[in-house]
Amino acid sequence: MTSPLNPHLFDADVEKIPTRNGYGDALVILGKKDPRVMVLSGDLTESTRAHLFREAFPERFIECGVAEQNMLGIAAGLALSGKIPFVCSYAVFMPGRTWDQLRVSVCYSNANVKIAGAHAGLSVGPDGATHQALEDLAITRVLPGLTVIAPCDYLETKKATLAAAKIKGPVYLRFARDATPSITTPRTPFVIGQSLVLREGQDVTLAACGPLLYEALRAAQVLETQHIHAEVINCHTLKPFDEETLINSVKKTGCCVTIEEHQIIGGLHSVVCETLSRNHPAPVSAIGMPDSFGQSGEPQELLTHYHMTAEDIVQAAKRVIKKK
Amino acid sequence: MPLRSSKKDQPDLPALKLLANDIRQDVIRALVKAKSGHSAGSLGMADVFTALYFHVLHIDPKKPRWIERDRVVLSNAHICPVLYAALARRGFCSREDFINGLRKFGTPFQGHSNTHFNMGIETCGGPLGQGLSQAVGMALAARHDQADWHTYCLMSDGELDEGQSWEAILFAGKEQLRQLTVIVDRNNIQIDGFTEDVMPLEPLADKWRAFNWHVIESDGHNLRQIIDACEEAKTIYEKPTVILAHTIPGKGVDFMERHYEWHGKPPDPSEGRLALRELRSLAGQVTSEHE
Ligand SMILES: [Mg+2]
């Protein structure tokens, strides 16, 4: 089997592309393939990369202005009339400001709306706490019928966007702002609802989603030099969650570290703990926001401050192994 | 079937008037059995629903998802008893099931109307302010597909307090959505009291005009006026239209009329009997053939 990882992943000059670019490129492909695809933007067209679609298909692009609640409702109406709307904003605003619309207009009627929350996590850095979406996974995954995906890199975001268009029903896609390392290759499989084991090991499971998956893979490399064999899982789909892959891994390793650019409460950590407590109780430690708001700073500075780097993951892995 | 007199497309007004009365009675019967639900708004909008479902709309009860149908979005979905009553009388669902099943476990007649049953309901409603945005999306889809169908959004006046309503009004004005007509139930009440005390809306017509809408003021109990307003709306090509339908909450039942206390409660069995007696006699004017 060919490795699902970018062979240059650990090079100093690893290719870095913002995940949102994958969304923008996929929208253009979808626009060509399916005349039902429409794109709505809330005055954030270029930064969500929807401008590529606007240029290619102006008659299917809808500018909604700074009014996200209305935008999501319009998308629901379009979907209920047979369209496949992709709605673009920042994750702090959508789902942040539009949770009620997401719940009732979209999810309760199972409207075929795809919601793109850009600039999630700490990677908006200097914009500060108000613009750092660290709660979006928690508030989306509780909604019945909503698929929730946090892709790890440019290519996976592209694949996830294409896959989202194929399933009938609402999907939330989460993107980061900054350029982040290309972890996967064109041949890395991507199936909604199927986590992917990127590296096998017997001592500890590292379950990650989003661009922080890169830190998890780096941590696994460091641990290897200390004779600790970590298994790394890309948990890109938080809902429906691939319980089987996680359970099988933890049955083998006996413990887990969750890694996400999100509040520890309510996101991947919660998904993993819920899954294990029901099926195979085991110690789990968490890398993520410790129930606090962020602040301005360079993304790397913030990741260091909030203990989300490879070095922090190494320490967390060693601690959780001791609890076995 | 649509109630039209022999002259093509002319409404049979006396028959529509009787039908509105029948719909009001069904609403009362269902609310008494449900033991909860919203009386005032349901009765107040019975004439608008009658005009829509029995004259204005292009719909087919045998094909609730007919692609060319006109769409109705009920945004203030707490008045769904009148929607169910109209749909039942029009043949989209069983009248008996509605009267016995409103707000009951396992029935399609949920406390707020939703799309999950194939009986001609377009959206899930409840939280106020969400309907118009969805109606806008539908009107955009129709325009994009160069289809002829029209979208009607029914709203309460109280839900114009919601910011999302005005986001949608602003957007529809920008897009000049001529295939969209809003009917506001201008009954001047909301849960905490009179709208002009809780959150004044006047000058309401001027507000809509300022957002580039065509505004028609109508007596919400005059079937001729409601139908004429809907027809006028279709002749306006450069703007969406709002019909401010002036209604009396609780219309048709003397002890409910104009009392905002009846917003969210049903009649008890003896109040129900009183209400039905009054409605059956059309306030003493007419003797209905129905029981
Ligand atoms: Mg009212």
Side-chain angles (χ1 to χ4, degrees), chain B residues 156-158 185-190 195:
Chain B
S156 65
D157 48 5
D185 179 9
R186 185 62 174 126
N187 65 7
N188 297 292
I189 64 163
Q190 57 192 108
T195 59

Short mmCIF file of all heavy atoms in Angstrom, two decimals, chain B residues 156-158 185-190 195, ligand 1:
data_model
loop_
_atom_site.label_atom_id
_atom_site.label_comp_id
_atom_site.label_asym_id
_atom_site.label_seq_id
_atom_site.Cartn_x
_atom_site.Cartn_y
_atom_site.Cartn_z
N SER B 156 -46.35 37.24 11.00
CA SER B 156 -47.09 38.02 11.98
C SER B 156 -46.48 39.42 12.04
O SER B 156 -45.38 39.66 11.54
CB SER B 156 -47.00 37.35 13.35
OG SER B 156 -45.68 37.36 13.82
N ASP B 157 -47.21 40.34 12.66
CA ASP B 157 -46.61 41.66 12.86
C ASP B 157 -45.57 41.61 13.98
O ASP B 157 -44.51 42.22 13.88
CB ASP B 157 -47.66 42.76 13.09
CG ASP B 157 -48.73 42.40 14.12
OD1 ASP B 157 -48.61 41.32 14.75
OD2 ASP B 157 -49.68 43.18 14.29
N GLY B 158 -45.83 40.80 15.01
CA GLY B 158 -44.87 40.70 16.12
C GLY B 158 -43.50 40.26 15.66
O GLY B 158 -42.48 40.71 16.18
N ASP B 185 -49.86 39.57 8.91
CA ASP B 185 -51.07 39.57 9.75
C ASP B 185 -50.98 40.76 10.70
O ASP B 185 -50.44 40.67 11.79
CB ASP B 185 -51.13 38.25 10.53
CG ASP B 185 -52.35 38.19 11.44
OD1 ASP B 185 -53.22 39.09 11.33
OD2 ASP B 185 -52.41 37.26 12.26
N ARG B 186 -51.51 41.89 10.23
CA ARG B 186 -51.40 43.13 11.03
C ARG B 186 -52.57 43.17 12.01
O ARG B 186 -53.57 43.86 11.80
CB ARG B 186 -51.40 44.34 10.09
CG ARG B 186 -51.17 45.67 10.83
CD ARG B 186 -49.81 45.70 11.49
NE ARG B 186 -49.48 46.99 12.08
CZ ARG B 186 -49.10 47.14 13.36
NH1 ARG B 186 -49.06 46.10 14.18
NH2 ARG B 186 -48.77 48.33 13.80
N ASN B 187 -52.42 42.38 13.10
CA ASN B 187 -53.51 42.31 14.08
C ASN B 187 -53.19 43.11 15.34
O ASN B 187 -53.96 43.13 16.29
CB ASN B 187 -53.86 40.86 14.42
CG ASN B 187 -52.71 40.13 15.11
OD1 ASN B 187 -51.69 40.72 15.46
ND2 ASN B 187 -52.87 38.84 15.31
N ASN B 188 -52.04 43.77 15.31
CA ASN B 188 -51.65 44.70 16.38
C ASN B 188 -51.42 44.08 17.75
O ASN B 188 -51.26 44.81 18.73
CB ASN B 188 -52.69 45.84 16.52
CG ASN B 188 -52.78 46.67 15.27
OD1 ASN B 188 -51.84 47.38 14.92
ND2 ASN B 188 -53.88 46.55 14.55
N ILE B 189 -51.40 42.74 17.82
CA ILE B 189 -51.09 42.14 19.11
C ILE B 189 -49.87 41.24 19.02
O ILE B 189 -49.53 40.72 17.95
CB ILE B 189 -52.27 41.32 19.71
CG1 ILE B 189 -52.60 40.10 18.83
CG2 ILE B 189 -53.48 42.19 19.95
CD1 ILE B 189 -53.43 39.04 19.52
N GLN B 190 -49.22 41.07 20.13
CA GLN B 190 -48.20 40.04 20.30
C GLN B 190 -48.32 39.55 21.72
O GLN B 190 -49.25 39.96 22.44
CB GLN B 190 -46.82 40.57 19.93
CG GLN B 190 -46.35 41.80 20.69
CD GLN B 190 -45.10 42.39 20.04
OE1 GLN B 190 -45.17 43.44 19.42
NE2 GLN B 190 -43.97 41.73 20.20
N THR B 195 -48.83 45.64 19.85
CA THR B 195 -47.51 45.84 19.22
C THR B 195 -47.01 47.27 19.45
O THR B 195 -45.81 47.46 19.64
CB THR B 195 -47.55 45.58 17.70
OG1 THR B 195 -48.49 46.45 17.09
CG2 THR B 195 -47.90 44.13 17.39
MG MG C 1 -49.69 39.84 15.87
#
